[in-house]
Amino acid sequence: MRSRGVLMDEAAALAGLWAQATSVAVLTGAGISTDSGISDFRGPNGLWTRNPGAQAMFDISVYMRDAEVRRQAWANRRANPAWTAQPNRGHLALAALQQSDRVQTLMTQNIDGLHQRAGSRDVLELHGTIWEVVCMACGLRWPTPEVLAREEDDPPCTACGGILKTATVSFGQALDQAVLEAAVRGTKRAELLVTVGTSLQVNPVAGLAGLADRLVIVNAEETPYDAEAELVVRGSISDVLAAVADVLG
Ligand code: NAD
């Protein structure tokens, strides 16, 4: 992390680029929600950094064939801090920037719904949402709190008996094509793409960074796209975005 003075200089540089751009797309990842108490996967305190084995639970073929993995996944869902988490200064700054027409496309890999709770609209949820459950057999959907309220350790679909899962994208599952296409269009249309709190390691979403005309990366750690970025801001997302929103009003 940079010293606070250097970080604020970088935030000012980002605000300058942001102000000049005719249109801006923003892509967020798990790092924007760590200040709301939700762990990321690959950061220093990430779920997978602490427990690399946990990654298997996010593989769709393992989830579909192994009832024990599903029971563990449901226990984890129940305990997910996202149910009570509040948006932080990073989410609120992006909502304010969108409100003042400084963000034309807001894309997220997050599944926690915190951008919407901060007031953002038209959020492209590239990896789905934990707020809905979908039947893997018949496609019926429910709000997740309703399914959790059943208090079953591996709740089946009440219509067809199929396996239920949150409406999130696991490894081995395709992204929603329409959402991905909208993200590609939004990125190509923008003069500037700002990526925030993502390690940019998983395609196809990470590939959006390669489509950008001009790229800025805000992230505490290195990413594979740092060399392509016009500016890399290596510091607290909440501090940086709040400073940008202050400057741009
Ligand atoms: P990631 O875990 O791979 O990377 C997060 C990055 O954010 C890390 O490089 C970390 O150093 C940085 N970071 C964390 N907190 C920060 C802070 N306060 N300031 C600056 N940088 C910070 O995340 P990813 O690239 O989004 O990929 C993980 C996948 O996991 C995504 O697909 C996402 O759907 C999912 N996920 C979502 C949530 C959520 O919805 N909140 C949480 C965990 C994982």
Side-chain angles (χ1 to χ4, degrees), residues 111-126:
I111 55 176
D112 56 30
L114 286 179
H115 283 302
Q116 292 89 333
R117 293 191 55 192
S120 282
R121 55 189 193 282
D122 303 328
V123 183
L124 295 174
E125 292 182 305
L126 287 150

Side-chain angles (χ1 to χ4, degrees), residues 55-76:
Q55 217 172 128
M57 210 166 289
F58 294 84
D59 183 309
I60 191 63
S61 57
V62 176
Y63 186 88
M64 294 304 285
R65 73 164 178 259
D66 190 335
E68 187 45 43
V69 165
R70 289 199 297 279
R71 281 193 281 274
Q72 187 58 53
W74 280 105
N76 292 349

Side-chain angles (χ1 to χ4, degrees), residues 65-162:
R65 73 164 178 259
D66 190 335
E68 187 45 43
V69 165
R70 289 199 297 279
R71 281 193 281 274
Q72 187 58 53
W74 280 105
N76 292 349
R77 282 171 193 144
R78 205 171 282 289
N80 196 316
W83 308 125
T84 51
Q86 296 301 316
N88 63 53
R89 289 183 299 141
H91 301 104
L92 294 169
L94 285 180
L97 288 164
Q98 192 185 33
Q99 187 68 35
S100 54
D101 218 20
R102 299 281 194 180
V103 174
Q104 277 62 45
T105 303
L106 179 55
M107 310 171 276
T108 189
Q109 296 164 87
N110 293 346
I111 55 176
D112 56 30
L114 286 179
H115 283 302
Q116 292 89 333
R117 293 191 55 192
S120 282
R121 55 189 193 282
D122 303 328
V123 183
L124 295 174
E125 292 182 305
L126 287 150
H127 289 167
T129 176
I130 54 163
W131 287 92
E132 272 188 350
V133 163
V134 63
C135 172
M136 301 303 287
C138 73
L140 266 184
R141 286 181 177 245
W142 295 264
T144 306
E146 266 181 37
V147 178
L148 290 177
R150 286 163 53 184
E151 300 207 340
E152 294 168 89
D153 59 2
D154 181 17
C157 174
T158 48
C160 78

